[in-house]
Amino acid sequence: MHIPILTDLVVIFGLSLVVLFVCHKFRVPVTVGFIFTGILAGPHVLALVRAIHEVEILAEIGVILLLFTIGVEFSFANLLQIRQSVLVAGPIQVVATCLAGMVLAWQFGRSWGEAIFIGFLLSLSSTAIVLKLLQERAEVDTPHGRTSLGVLIFQDIVIVPMMLFVPLLAGVSENIGVSFLVLLLKGLVIVSLVIVSAKYVVPQALYQIARTGNRELFLISIVLICAAVAWVTAQAGLSLALGAFLAGLIVSETEYSHQALGNILPFRDVFASFFFISIGMLLDVNFLLNHPVVIVLLTLGVLLSKAVLAGAAALALKFPLRTSILVGLALCQVGEFSFILSKVGVIKGLFSGDDYQLFLDVTILTMVLTPLVMALAPRTADFILRWPLPQRLKIGSHLTEEIGRSIPTDHLIIVGYGVNGRNLARAAKTGGIPYVIVEMNPETVRREQEGGQPIFYGDATQEEILIHARIKEARIIVVVINDPAATRRIVTLAHRLNPQVYIIVRTRYLQELQPLFELGASDVVPEEFETSVEIFTLVLKKYLVDRNEIERFVTEVRANGYLVLRGISKEVDSFREVGFGLRDFEISTFRLHDGAPLVGKSLAAIELRKKYGVTVLAIRRGVQVLPNPDPDMQLLSSDLLIVMGTPDDICKSAPLFTDRECSLNIVGK
């Protein structure tokens, strides 16, 4: 039996394989590769695909799954954190872009109805492309990622009243007011159902299903939740994508969200490819070749104007200029929902012939260029920040009262107040270490300031912010944010402003290690690496391997791993960095507890170096640090001893310092 769609699927996947392989060789993003696949396979070039309508249906499923997975990785708490982006930046961006497009179209002789409609089309950005790129770049949780998401959510909502207004713009008499009120009522009902489902219904249902241990049953239940919520929102007149996002939020509130995400991801990647391929199929290459100058100029004009207006919307939230630029460049394209809206305009007579094809070509080109624009966005932002602009514009308007004067010298600077930042601040407070926090979420800053935390709002990529945090007097700066480009800039600035400061950086990926060390980082903690260490530690414990052996193995792995991955040499400039030059030695710290064998004895009496091969480099007693301690110095309870030796020697001598078994606290490797 002949199945036409099967032939087209073979063609699409085969052509995608070749195109993506070539794109990989030239480091072209995957999304652009899929769009080029659609251009080649579409009706305007090779005409290899016949079942175009079926491909569009698969593309719609891809958008649904993409928005569902984003919702699963998000949460209602995160959604509340970006409410300003949804309710303030979103309306500003949409209204400003609509007005700009409307005025421009009117200047070119369009009627007011057509001009407003063109403004509607230009105001929407691509949720699928932007969020996929943010996910690939691990930037969804960055300030510009959250702001972009908030604006995109508002755009997905505002598409509905836009579609209701299209008949009015075309001169068709319909009762728009009644339709809008009915739609608003439906939206309120759906939101209420989503909240109830997330809190009560879905967690209990998934619990009962998970108890069965049946993988297929669990997968079907997740797909049902996604499809059902998307279907309900579509029946209410809202977009399928918005419904899928809400479905993901529902699942995100359960303890089964990670399992659900793991099950859906393979399907999402396959179906999402059809979305980008379907976009490429719409591009009329012949029309592009016949009108290259007009299309290129319009494309550049759209990208530039939308970037400026979206960036201005972010500035309205008092974000620093760098964040606003990144938001603007992320939202500078025309989105997929503009295609849906344009079809309604064609039916109502607002679009026709060459105008419609011109819109399609410009829109698709903005989408194709989006990965390149977002890849160049950090460099563009850094370039603009070198201009002689007002400092208040560069650092943002949220910079609160001067707290630097209350920060003592030799303090710790924490950049980022997520999970890692919170834990580090708690540990520093417990250990009596002076610290200051730099954070870019204004609501978090306001809340934590009220709680007494030494925190202020600021973009640490700006020199003024680090100076405000007194970087020149700091001992350590720890960078725990999710923006790789910003992290590199902060490391560069911190190292330049204070070459003596100890820079600790958390990164997600091992490939970030070498660049960060070259920029001046003292220690880099890759999540991939530390996760693997934690995993094999748990495995060894389950097999009842001796704890001292595990500790010794972990120490050796960390030391060898970091040294191998660095591939660079560092000069020894303090006792904290002796480990850089002594491959077989570690520097550790031990706190003397009451009842420890060394309490009340002198260094000369215990003969640590002779009997155990361990050297005491310094003793910290209260706030006083005693380097190279005298052999006759008597050790006291609560002294912090900084010692050097091989991992084996340190572990063997550990019981002398504390009543616990070996647990190394490495100062610097």
Side-chain angles (χ1 to χ4, degrees):
M1 183 175 66
H2 179 65
I3 304 176
I5 185 63
L6 183 59
T7 303
D8 290 338
L9 289 177
V10 172
V11 170
I12 288 173
F13 286 128
L15 187 59
S16 298
L17 186 65
V18 176
V19 173
L20 292 180
F21 182 80
V22 174
C23 289
H24 176 74
K25 289 295 184 181
F26 291 96
R27 297 185 178 181
V28 177
V30 173
T31 51
V32 176
F34 282 127
I35 292 175
F36 277 125
T37 300
I39 294 173
L40 293 174
H44 303 293
V45 181
L46 300 178
L48 299 176
V49 176
R50 304 294 181 185
I52 295 178
H53 177 66
E54 287 80 358
V55 172
E56 290 177 348
I57 294 175
L58 295 176
E60 191 71 29
I61 297 174
V63 173
I64 291 173
L65 293 178
L66 177 62
L67 269 295
F68 176 73
T69 55
I70 291 170
V72 171
E73 292 180 317
F74 219 60
S75 67
F76 280 106
N78 292 332
L79 191 60
L80 290 175
Q81 288 181 355
I82 64 169
R83 61 182 180 271
Q84 277 194 318
S85 300
V86 178
L87 302 177
V88 179
I92 291 175
Q93 183 273 331
V94 169
V95 171
T97 310
C98 282
L99 289 175
M102 178 187 69
V103 171
L104 184 63
W106 183 70
Q107 290 291 331
F108 279 91
R110 303 298 179 187
S111 67
W112 278 112
E114 292 174 333
I116 295 173
F117 180 70
I118 291 173
F120 284 174
L121 296 176
L122 295 179
S123 66
L124 304 176
S125 303
S126 176
T127 303
I129 291 178
V130 173
L131 292 184
K132 182 172 179 60
L133 290 173
L134 288 174
Q135 278 187 325
E136 290 176 353
R137 296 162 61 89
E139 295 178 359
V140 174
D141 199 35
T142 61
H144 66 270
R146 292 194 299 265
T147 305
S148 300
L149 176 59
V151 174
L152 290 169
I153 290 174
F154 179 81
Q155 290 179 2
D156 289 348
I157 296 173
V158 82
I159 181 68
V160 179
M162 285 182 178
M163 295 183 71
L164 292 176
F165 274 103
V166 169
L168 183 64
L169 297 176
V172 180
S173 177
E174 291 187 7
N175 195 337
I176 302 297
V178 174
S179 299
F180 184 77
L181 288 176
V182 172
L183 184 66
L184 181 62
L185 181 61
K186 290 180 179 178
L188 292 175
V189 172
I190 289 174
V191 170
S192 301
L193 290 175
V194 167
I195 294 174
V196 172
S197 299
K199 192 169 182 63
Y200 302 106
V201 180
V202 172
Q204 288 298 322
L206 289 180
Y207 170 71
Q208 296 299 330
I209 291 170
R211 287 182 63 188
T212 66
N214 190 310
R215 247 183 99 193
E216 291 78 8
L217 187 61
F218 184 83
L219 175 60
I220 291 173
S221 65
I222 296 299
V223 173
L224 175 62
I225 293 171
C226 175
V229 178
W231 177 80
V232 169
T233 55
Q235 292 298 309
L238 301 170
S239 70
L240 284 168
L242 181 62
F245 180 75
L246 292 175
L249 284 179
I250 292 174
V251 176
S252 74
E253 297 301 310
T254 70
E255 59 266 42
Y256 312 103
S257 58
H258 297 293
Q259 180 65 33
L261 186 63
N263 288 344
I264 290 294
L265 281 178
F267 298 98
R268 181 205 67 180
D269 292 339
V270 172
F271 283 100
S273 65
F274 286 105
F275 166 72
F276 301 108
I277 291 171
S278 68
I279 289 175
M281 289 181 178
L282 295 173
L283 182 68
D284 189 339
V285 178
N286 292 326
F287 187 85
L288 175 62
L289 295 177
N290 291 331
H291 307 85
V293 177
V294 174
I295 292 175
V296 170
L297 289 177
L298 282 176
T299 300
L300 295 177
V302 168
L303 291 172
L304 181 60
S305 58
K306 289 201 67 176
V308 171
L309 295 173
L315 282 175
L317 295 181
K318 302 180 181 179
F319 277 114
L321 181 59
R322 184 180 186 276
T323 300
S324 302
I325 293 172
L326 296 179
V327 171
L329 293 175
L331 301 176
C332 64
Q333 73 292 130
V334 182
E336 59 273 1
F337 290 118
S338 295
F339 290 124
I340 300 172
L341 189 61
S342 67
K343 292 178 181 178
V344 178
V346 170
I347 295 173
K348 299 298 181 181
L350 291 171
F351 248 172
S352 62
D354 290 348
D355 290 342
Y356 181 58
Q357 192 56 53
L358 181 64
F359 161 75
L360 290 179
D361 282 22
V362 170
T363 299
I364 293 169
L365 283 181
T366 62
M367 290 181 169
V368 171
L369 292 174
T370 297
L372 177 62
V373 171
M374 291 184 65
L376 296 176
R379 296 181 184 177
T380 304
D382 292 340
F383 173 74
I384 294 175
L385 288 171
R386 288 195 288 268
W387 296 359
L389 299 171
Q391 288 301 318
R392 186 174 181 82
L393 180 65
K394 290 184 178 181
I395 66 178
S397 303
H398 273 295
L399 189 59
T400 55
E401 66 275 4
E402 193 75 26
I403 64 172
R405 298 172 185 170
S406 64
I407 304 172
T409 58
D410 205 35
H411 61 290
L412 163 68
I413 300 175
I414 303 172
V415 180
Y417 200 61
V419 174
N420 292 289
R422 291 176 188 275
N423 290 334
L424 180 56
R426 188 180 300 114
K429 187 174 183 179
T430 302
I433 300 172
Y435 66 96
V436 64
I437 305 162
V438 183
E439 168 61 31
M440 283 192 61
N441 188 320
E443 295 182 2
T444 299
V445 172
R446 185 180 299 112
R447 182 178 63 251
E448 295 300 328
Q449 279 183 343
E450 292 174 355
Q453 282 283 20
I455 184 173
F456 69 90
Y457 178 90
D459 180 1
T461 64
Q462 298 301 306
E463 183 173 327
E464 293 77 12
I465 299 300
L466 290 181
I467 293 175
H468 182 76
R470 299 184 68 176
I471 182 67
K472 295 181 180 180
E473 291 84 25
R475 176 188 289 198
I476 301 174
I477 178 172
V478 180
V479 185
V480 281
I481 59 176
N482 294 322
D483 187 340
T487 298
R488 290 192 291 270
R489 180 170 173 79
I490 294 168
V491 170
T492 302
L493 275 176
H495 184 66
R496 177 169 61 82
L497 294 172
N498 183 0
Q500 304 302 319
V501 71
Y502 198 82
I503 305 173
I504 302 175
V505 184
R506 184 218 65 181
T507 183
R508 291 194 173 193
Y509 307 112
L510 287 174
Q511 57 263 33
E512 289 287 326
L513 284 173
Q514 184 72 15
L516 288 169
F517 280 123
E518 291 175 351
L519 291 173
S522 307
D523 264 318
V524 182
V525 181
E527 289 184 357
E528 288 181 326
F529 192 87
E530 288 302 318
T531 300
S532 67
V533 170
E534 183 66 22
I535 289 172
F536 73 63
T537 299
L538 293 173
V539 170
L540 294 178
K541 286 181 179 178
K542 283 296 182 181
Y543 278 97
L544 302 179
V545 176
D546 181 71
R547 177 172 291 187
N548 288 341
E549 293 292 330
I550 296 175
E551 292 285 354
R552 186 183 304 113
F553 183 56
V554 169
T555 302
E556 291 174 357
V557 167
R558 283 198 174 110
N560 293 333
Y562 284 115
L563 286 170
V564 169
L565 290 170
R566 281 176 192 173
I568 57 175
S569 62
K570 284 179 173 272
E571 296 181 359
V572 179
D573 58 4
S574 71
F575 74 85
R576 295 179 305 164
E577 295 176 303
V578 172
F580 285 126
L582 300 176
R583 189 181 184 89
D584 298 326
F585 289 84
E586 299 293 350
I587 299 174
S588 302
T589 59
F590 287 102
R591 176 78 66 181
L592 290 184
H593 294 270
D594 291 331
L598 298 187
V599 174
K601 297 180 181 179
S602 67
L603 293 175
I606 56 181
E607 298 182 320
L608 276 175
R609 186 181 302 175
K610 180 179 180 180
K611 294 182 178 179
Y612 299 95
V614 175
T615 301
V616 178
L617 299 177
I619 298 174
R620 180 174 180 177
R621 183 168 292 170
V623 296
Q624 185 181 14
V625 177
L626 307 171
N628 194 22
D630 189 274
D632 296 326
M633 178 181 293
Q634 190 177 41
L635 300 179
L636 305 178
S637 178
S638 298
D639 278 353
L640 182 69
L641 273 62
I642 302 169
V643 302
M644 182 180 72
T646 65
D648 283 344
D649 290 338
I650 292 176
C651 278
K652 290 176 182 177
S653 63
L656 298 173
F657 303 97
T658 175
D659 52 0
R660 297 172 297 175
E661 295 185 30
C662 176
S663 179
L664 299 185
N665 180 16
I666 307 302
V667 174
K669 301 189 288 293

